[in-house]
Amino acid sequence: MDVDHEAGPSTPPTRNNIIYMADPPVPSTAQQPYDYHSLDTSSDPSICIDNAGSHSWRAGFSTMSTPYIDRTNIVARYKERKIGKNILLFGRDVEADANSRSNTRLMYDGDMLIHQDMLECALDYTFVMLGIDSSRIEQPIVMTERLANPLFTRAMTSELMFELYNAPSVTYGIDSLFAFSRQKHEDGLAVSLGHNASTIIPVVNGRGVLSRAKRIPWGGQQASELMLKLAQLKYPSFPTKVTLAQATFMARETCYFSADYDAELKSLEVPENMAKMTKVIQFPYAAPDAVEKTEEEIAAALERRREQGKRLQEISARQRAEKLAAKIAELDEYKSVMAERANLKKADFLIRISESTPFETEAELESWIKKTEAEVRRKQRKEQGLEEEPEEEPTFPLVDRPDEELNEDEIKEKRKQRLMKAGWEARVKIREEKRREKERLDEEKRQEELERATDPQAWAARLREEQEAVIERMQDRKKRKAQMGDRKSAAAQNRMKNIATLAAESGGGKKRKKNTEEKDDGFGRDDSDWAVYREIGGDDESDAEEDDQNQLQSIETRLLQFDPSFNEEQTLEGRQHAKNALINAFVRGGTDERYDPESVAHNHQIHLNVERIRVPETWFQPGMFGVDSAGVGEIAGWVLNGFEEEQRRRLMQCIFVTGGGANIPGLTTKMRNVLTPVLPFRAPLKIVSSVDGGDPRLEAWKGMSAWAGTDAAKQARVTRAEYEEYGAEWLKEHQWGNPPP
């Protein structure tokens, strides 16, 4: 997660807590080579190359205050067909076009140098940009390397330096120890938060104690990958592909070390705290051509919608009135037919009924007239806003008369009246049961009021238990419904087996023998087949759901009214609102600007909140994300406690943190909070990340360039003669380097 400064400042534009995602900057003009002939050779300058980290390549002469070359460590080498020349691009210049991007290669696998040809390209670029135009390098070369660098990697580099570039000498050293060499203290702890790994090396009497050094397989590269995964999980349907470089940008611009990770994470349960913490990353998008409406047009459209609503209401009322008028007219017509009964014989009257009405008998017509009159009166009273009339008790004169006294038509009518009487008695029974139920509820209410008056705490506790039971029952029902909708769930599979078992049974409950010759028709392999099973035996739980809703509403209403400790947030609606508010704050920031699904800008936004502290916390708790290792703070404390008391006290006076990860805010406070509990009580502790307040990324190069002119550096040089005599793996031991084999 190193910062690349080759294209100017990295601070992105911000507005209203929004950070705009910057496209990979490509320099508009090429960097000019250094004027090598103006180099002051009287001070015996060296060429210092910091390439221990797999992210950045920094190089320059030791007489410079800052490296002349500071670029990302990527190479693109290809032949441009249009001009017929070989092209070598280094750093972010590889973003020039699609052809160069497709030929981008890395010389590292993790933090291990494996591609000698890519290293050669980087060195070619370095020497050209330093203005060296001869076939021989005149200045000594000092290079950084990783902790416990393999021999073949160092041999590969030495072979290039001596065989290809004819360098006079080469010296290697560990990047974090070179950075520590700038300190005035001879004892301390060199902590490097690198791109692919982090190292902790104790320094005693001005020399690194590599036997007690530790390495953690976690760095800025893994942190960027974690940020990318978290963003992808949070926004699975994000409209554009988020790249690793963009994830690095998000981590660099938003992350910080939390002084107390667990406490701050706990505080984010409150949606307001989550919203305050949120940073919005706005990705580039193409805005659609939108036609903006004036205020007059918007007001006119709103007025049109209101008029349309009024017209729909008027049409609905008119249709109801027309239907009622038609029903009244039909009722009057059938009443007029019924009025002719006194003037006609019975046979003629039946003929008149069958010709003028859809009924066959006088009883059917009379029953319809009574029913329709009641319906018309009910609708008229409803239109007038009056209460419904109480239902009159019907009479059934033929039910009690014996069949011997009745003719055939009257016997049929008697059967109908018997059914009607049974229906009436059932309705009366239901009303009576409702009345008794109401009396029972009134008694329970009275008992509850008595309990509330005598023991309000027990009453509130009982109602809270009932509330939890109802909520749990509703949640279980919702879960079962979701499981039944998924054909692969256990509930749906069991249901299918039961239905298949019933379908296989024949009469008498005996199962049919399986016909071995019958072929499988494939039923059930397709989703459409499962729709058949969903329609069979589906349990309609809407009534139970409605009852639970009413019961829950009653319980919560009473608790809100009589329990002072019960508030709106403890109701089911309050819980859902809090949950939805937290989810909204997590995914959409919970800001005042409401998320608009139709907005292209909103759909191209990523809201970072928990991720801002979760990603950096991995340096201190790698186990959270599957890395079997202790954190930087824990290992640093273990290393310090491995020394005697006096020596440990001196080491604690200079804990020097370097590397790209040291640029993340809050690191010093985090290190202090983690180390203080594991170190002696009230022991003085000093943690620094830069000598002169500069960029911690450059500390290794600055320390290397300052050390290159010392006598110790001159003694540690491996000359060309020694290379030819002892081989490429020959190495001289010095205070800031890896030990020789």
Side-chain angles (χ1 to χ4, degrees):
M1 202 158 54
D2 287 340
V3 184
D4 190 359
H5 292 281
E6 64 181 83
S10 63
T11 305
T14 59
R15 180 174 61 84
N16 297 333
N17 205 32
I18 297 179
I19 302 175
Y20 292 89
M21 175 63 68
D23 293 329
V26 179
S28 57
T29 57
Q31 184 179 6
Q32 297 301 317
Y34 178 74
D35 186 4
Y36 177 72
H37 300 289
S38 64
L39 180 66
D40 183 11
T41 58
S42 60
S43 58
D44 189 19
S46 299
I47 299 175
C48 300
I49 302 175
D50 179 14
N51 69 321
S54 59
H55 179 273
S56 299
W57 179 284
R58 306 175 189 94
F61 291 104
S62 58
T63 55
M64 298 176 176
S65 59
T66 57
Y68 188 74
I69 301 171
D70 185 2
R71 296 203 164 207
T72 51
N73 207 344
I74 51 179
V75 178
R77 185 179 62 177
Y78 62 100
K79 185 174 183 179
E80 180 59 56
R81 296 181 179 180
K82 294 181 179 179
I83 60 177
K85 292 183 179 180
N86 292 325
I87 302 296
L88 172 62
L89 298 177
F90 187 70
R92 283 193 172 173
D93 290 346
V94 301
E95 299 286 344
D97 55 30
N99 196 12
S100 61
R101 286 193 295 270
S102 62
N103 286 278
T104 300
R105 294 179 62 189
L106 300 174
M107 67 182 73
Y108 285 90
D109 183 7
D111 60 348
M112 184 76 67
L113 179 64
I114 58 174
H115 293 297
Q116 186 176 8
D117 57 336
M118 293 295 101
L119 176 60
E120 181 182 341
C121 293
L123 290 172
D124 286 344
Y125 178 86
T126 299
F127 295 138
V128 169
M129 295 307 298
L130 292 179
I132 302 175
D133 54 2
S134 63
S135 60
R136 178 181 178 85
I137 304 299
E138 301 293 340
Q139 287 74 27
I141 296 177
V142 183
M143 297 186 70
T144 58
E145 62 180 1
R146 54 164 282 184
L147 174 66
N149 197 32
L151 293 179
F152 76 90
T153 303
R154 188 183 303 117
M156 182 192 310
T157 308
S158 296
E159 183 179 353
L160 279 175
M161 291 299 181
F162 290 115
E163 299 293 344
L164 183 61
Y165 299 105
N166 297 313
S169 65
V170 179
T171 309
Y172 301 97
I174 301 174
D175 53 349
S176 59
L177 292 183
F178 274 145
F180 185 87
S181 66
R182 302 190 70 203
Q183 300 294 318
K184 297 179 181 179
H185 297 78
E186 291 189 349
D187 302 290
L189 202 64
V191 181
S192 174
L193 305 185
H195 187 62
N196 268 288
S198 300
T199 59
I200 298 95
I201 305 175
V203 180
V204 178
N205 296 327
R207 178 178 291 272
V209 184
L210 302 186
S211 60
R212 296 192 179 185
K214 296 297 177 182
R215 177 181 180 274
I216 302 173
W218 188 275
Q221 171 77 10
Q222 291 76 19
S224 299
E225 292 174 355
L226 175 59
M227 174 64 79
L228 178 61
K229 292 176 182 178
L230 292 177
Q232 290 171 340
L233 287 173
K234 195 171 186 178
Y235 299 93
S237 58
F238 198 68
T240 62
K241 180 182 178 180
V242 182
T243 64
L244 185 61
Q246 291 172 331
T248 302
F249 175 87
M250 293 190 293
R252 187 182 68 228
E253 298 298 335
T254 63
C255 289
Y256 65 93
F257 285 101
S258 174
D260 189 343
Y261 176 75
D262 293 333
E264 187 166 0
L265 194 64
K266 184 71 174 177
S267 69
L268 296 182
E269 292 181 351
V270 181
E272 290 76 12
N273 295 341
M274 182 84 75
K276 292 178 181 178
M277 186 184 187
T278 299
K279 294 288 186 182
V280 182
I281 306 296
Q282 179 68 67
F283 279 71
Y285 64 93
D289 296 333
V291 179
E292 297 184 0
K293 296 183 179 180
T294 62
E295 295 183 359
E296 293 77 8
E297 292 175 340
I298 295 175
L302 181 61
E303 186 62 27
R304 284 196 299 271
R305 285 196 295 271
R306 290 175 181 172
E307 293 296 331
Q308 289 175 356
K310 290 180 180 179
R311 283 199 298 271
L312 289 175
Q313 292 177 355
E314 293 174 357
I315 291 173
S316 178
R318 187 166 61 251
Q319 289 177 348
R320 289 196 302 270
E322 290 175 354
K323 288 181 180 179
L324 182 60
K327 184 67 71 175
I328 293 174
E330 187 179 13
L331 178 62
D332 293 339
E333 181 182 354
Y334 290 167
K335 280 185 177 181
S336 64
V337 173
M338 197 67 182
E340 298 178 7
R341 179 181 181 183
N343 302 327
L344 298 174
K345 294 180 180 181
K346 185 174 183 179
D348 296 337
F349 183 65
L350 292 176
I351 295 173
R352 176 80 172 98
I353 290 176
S354 61
E355 292 178 350
S356 304
T357 68
F359 306 105
E360 297 293 335
T361 63
E362 178 184 352
E364 292 179 356
L365 177 60
E366 187 175 2
S367 174
W368 184 88
I369 290 175
K370 290 182 179 180
K371 186 187 299 183
T372 305
E373 285 180 342
E375 182 181 353
V376 169
R377 286 197 302 271
R378 184 172 63 255
K379 289 183 177 180
Q380 289 176 342
R381 294 180 66 85
K382 185 177 180 180
E383 291 289 340
Q384 298 173 4
L386 302 176
E387 295 181 357
E388 294 186 4
E389 294 180 345
E391 185 179 2
E392 296 181 359
E393 183 177 357
T395 58
F396 309 100
L398 300 179
V399 172
D400 297 329
R401 292 177 59 184
D403 293 346
E404 293 78 7
E405 299 178 2
L406 305 176
N407 55 30
E408 185 177 353
D409 293 337
E410 290 176 336
I411 291 175
K412 293 181 180 180
E413 181 64 24
K414 178 181 177 181
R415 293 174 184 171
K416 292 181 180 180
Q417 290 185 4
R418 187 181 292 121
L419 292 174
M420 294 172 63
K421 182 179 180 182
W424 164 257
E425 291 175 349
R427 292 195 296 273
V428 171
K429 183 178 180 181
I430 291 173
R431 284 197 294 268
E432 182 64 22
E433 289 178 354
K434 288 184 178 180
R435 184 187 63 79
R436 289 198 296 268
E437 179 68 15
K438 184 176 181 302
E439 292 177 354
R440 184 185 66 81
L441 294 176
D442 291 341
E443 179 63 21
E444 289 182 357
K445 185 177 180 180
R446 189 183 65 80
Q447 294 291 340
E448 182 180 341
E449 292 177 354
L450 180 62
E451 180 185 3
R452 187 176 68 247
T454 55
D455 193 354
Q457 295 181 351
W459 171 83
R462 181 176 61 81
L463 256 65
R464 286 174 182 256
E465 291 179 359
E466 292 181 6
Q467 181 202 22
E468 295 297 333
V470 174
I471 292 176
E472 184 177 358
R473 192 162 59 243
M474 294 171 65
Q475 292 175 346
D476 291 342
R477 187 181 298 111
K478 186 181 297 184
K479 188 183 300 182
R480 285 197 306 271
K481 185 177 180 181
Q483 290 176 348
M484 295 304 293
D486 181 11
R487 72 172 192 176
K488 295 183 180 180
S489 65
Q493 293 286 342
N494 291 333
R495 181 183 175 193
M496 184 274 292
K497 291 178 182 178
N498 295 334
I499 295 175
T501 301
L502 293 174
E505 293 179 354
S506 60
K510 297 180 180 180
K511 294 184 179 179
R512 296 178 299 184
K513 294 182 179 180
K514 184 177 180 181
N515 186 1
T516 57
E517 299 178 356
E518 186 179 14
K519 295 183 179 179
D520 184 13
D521 59 356
F523 182 83
R525 296 177 185 172
D526 189 61
D527 288 341
S528 60
D529 298 336
W530 282 80
V532 177
Y533 290 111
R534 296 192 188 101
E535 295 176 0
I536 299 176
D539 296 329
D540 186 8
E541 297 182 340
S542 58
D543 293 341
E545 181 73 20
E546 185 178 356
D547 293 341
D548 285 344
Q549 288 281 6
N550 295 334
Q551 183 181 359
L552 181 64
Q553 184 178 1
S554 174
I555 293 172
E556 292 177 346
T557 301
R558 284 176 287 168
L559 284 172
L560 288 171
Q561 184 177 1
F562 299 107
D563 186 3
S565 62
F566 190 85
N567 51 39
E568 293 284 352
E569 296 180 355
Q570 295 173 296
T571 63
L572 177 61
E573 183 178 356
R575 296 180 188 181
Q576 292 176 345
H577 176 74
K579 180 180 179 181
N580 294 338
L582 186 60
I583 293 175
N584 178 62
F586 176 68
V587 179
R588 293 299 170 188
T591 56
D592 296 334
E593 186 179 5
R594 187 178 180 85
Y595 169 67
D596 182 9
E598 302 297 329
S599 172
V600 181
H602 287 185
N603 288 325
H604 284 76
Q605 289 179 352
I606 288 182
H607 295 72
L608 301 177
N609 30 60
V610 181
E611 299 82 5
R612 297 181 61 195
I613 60 174
R614 178 171 292 173
V615 171
E617 186 67 19
T618 51
W619 266 287
F620 291 87
Q621 300 187 59
M624 290 195 308
F625 298 97
V627 179
D628 188 14
S629 172
V632 172
E634 184 179 353
I635 291 180
W638 180 85
V639 171
L640 290 172
N641 286 323
F643 290 90
E644 298 295 334
E645 181 178 355
E646 181 61 27
Q647 205 169 37
R648 179 178 57 207
R649 184 185 61 80
R650 294 198 305 269
L651 292 174
M652 291 170 58
Q653 292 304 301
C654 184
I655 297 179
F656 186 69
V657 186
T658 185
N663 280 311
I664 302 176
L667 176 59
T668 302
T669 304
K670 179 69 175 181
M671 284 286 292
R672 185 177 300 278
N673 292 347
V674 174
L675 289 176
T676 300
V678 299
L679 294 176
F681 181 63
R682 290 186 177 179
L685 184 64
K686 183 178 181 181
I687 303 172
V688 294
S689 62
S690 178
V691 174
D692 50 8
D695 190 351
R697 297 168 55 254
L698 305 180
E699 291 297 313
W701 190 93
K702 291 179 179 179
M704 174 173 50
S705 63
W707 177 81
T710 63
D711 294 337
K714 295 177 181 178
Q715 295 175 3
R717 294 173 181 173
V718 177
T719 64
R720 181 177 180 81
E722 291 172 332
Y723 163 77
E724 293 175 348
E725 180 178 357
Y726 301 111
E729 295 179 356
W730 175 256
L731 180 68
K732 290 184 179 179
E733 185 176 3
H734 63 89
Q735 60 189 131
W736 309 123
N738 283 301

